[in-house]
Every structure is written in C-alpha cells, then in structure tokens.
Amino acid sequence: MKKYVIIAFVAVTGLFSVNAMAQSKVAHINAQALVASMPEAKKAETDLQTYAQSLEADGKALVDEYTKKMKDFDDKAATMTDNIKEIKGREIQDAQKRIQDYREAAEQKVQAKQSELLKPIYDKARKAIEDVAKEKGYGYVIDSSAGMLLVSPAADDILAPVKVKLGIK
C-alpha cells in the first residue's frame, strides 16, 4: 500500500512540474543588436579604436628601427666581414622579436581594454533584459544573436521593450 501512495505522489508531482514548465513564457532578443544600439557602446568602440591607434603608433617606432637596420645591412653587406654580418643579423632578428613581442602585448592590452570598457555596458543590457523579462512574466529569454538555436518554440521578441527601458530609440 505504501508503494502505491509513493507512486501516486511521484506521478502527481511530475504532472504538476510538467504543467508548470508548459506555462513558462519564452521570449527572444538579439542581444548583439541591443548592445550595438546603446550610445555607451559606440563611445566605447571609439575609445577602443583611439587606444589601439596609440599602441600602433608606439609600435611604428620599432618597425622604423627594424627597417633602418635592414636598409643599413643591405647597403653595407658587400663590405662587411662575416663576423660583422653575423652580429648585424642577430641585431635584425632581435628587432624582429621585439616587434613580434610588442604586437602580442598590444593585442592583449587591447583585449583587456575592450573587456574593461564593455563589461559595464553588457551588465546594463543584461539588467534591462532581466527587468523586462520579469515585468512581462517571461521564464526564459533566448539570445537570438548567437545563431545556435536551430528550433525554438514561438516566442516574443523583447528587443523593443528593452530599448525603451534603456531609453534607446
């Protein structure tokens, strides 16, 4: 008898949980389009480009140094001894390595700056999405910009209400 009560309890609980899941509302939003439409994102992109250009200008000095050494080597190679050629060759290789190291460091700095600039924007967008989903009673909000969702149930697009929440036209 105890077994039947337990089985009945599990069946009823399962029925209620399936019913509750079926009532969850689903919405979708193109989060990438939302972030791109935010004025803060446009300013962050401009700031990031300015930062990257300043790093590129600093790296230009290394490239100029390398170019000068190569030209000098090419112009004087015929009159250099083998020992001097070897020394100059190592200097050129060192200059190449410094350029490569600088480019890698600059790329890391740009990525770090991008994260620093975009994190508050993503956080603001996420908060607005969560607020609108809560206000409208959505249990799930799917990001349609990822492009990974192959099949989905019919859902409401909440891009417009989230833009209104953020004050974006």
Side-chain angles (χ1 to χ4, degrees):
M1 181 71 174
K2 241 182 179 179
K3 286 182 184 178
Y4 293 118
V5 172
I6 293 173
I7 291 172
F9 177 73
V10 170
V12 170
T13 305
L15 182 63
F16 283 121
S17 67
V18 168
N19 191 22
M21 284 176 44
Q23 292 177 357
S24 294
K25 289 174 63 176
V26 178
H28 63 86
I29 187 167
N30 186 332
Q32 197 171 25
L34 173 66
V35 170
S37 68
M38 295 172 69
E40 300 97 325
K42 293 172 181 132
K43 182 183 179 330
E45 184 64 33
T46 303
D47 292 348
L48 187 62
Q49 286 177 351
T50 303
Y51 182 70
Q53 288 171 349
S54 71
L55 290 175
E56 188 176 317
D58 292 344
K60 188 177 181 325
L62 293 172
V63 172
D64 291 345
E65 175 192 349
Y66 170 77
T67 305
K68 183 179 179 264
K69 286 184 180 196
M70 282 297 294
K71 185 177 181 327
D72 186 47
F73 183 81
D74 288 343
D75 291 346
K76 298 177 182 174
T79 60
M80 288 183 193
T81 64
D82 289 340
N83 196 20
I84 297 293
K85 284 182 184 178
E86 186 178 322
I87 292 170
K88 294 291 184 182
R90 273 191 252 132
E91 287 178 4
I92 291 170
Q93 287 176 344
D94 289 344
Q96 284 176 325
K97 178 142 178 43
R98 282 195 304 276
I99 291 169
Q100 183 179 0
D101 291 346
Y102 182 81
R103 285 183 177 160
E104 289 172 5
E107 188 176 314
Q108 289 174 352
K109 287 179 182 179
V110 168
Q111 288 175 349
K113 185 73 165 180
Q114 182 180 29
S115 295
E116 173 191 325
L117 292 172
L118 293 179
K119 185 180 182 334
I121 297 167
Y122 288 143
D123 290 345
K124 182 178 180 181
R126 182 174 194 79
K127 173 85 170 91
I129 292 168
E130 289 172 356
D131 290 348
V132 168
K134 190 174 187 179
E135 289 169 8
K136 301 213 180 253
Y138 293 108
Y140 300 94
V141 178
I142 299 166
D143 184 1
S144 61
S145 65
M148 296 302 292
L149 195 60
L150 300 177
V151 177
S152 67
D156 297 328
D157 185 0
I158 62 168
L159 181 61
V162 172
K163 281 185 169 182
V164 168
K165 182 92 171 165
L166 291 171
I168 300 171
K169 295 180 183 180

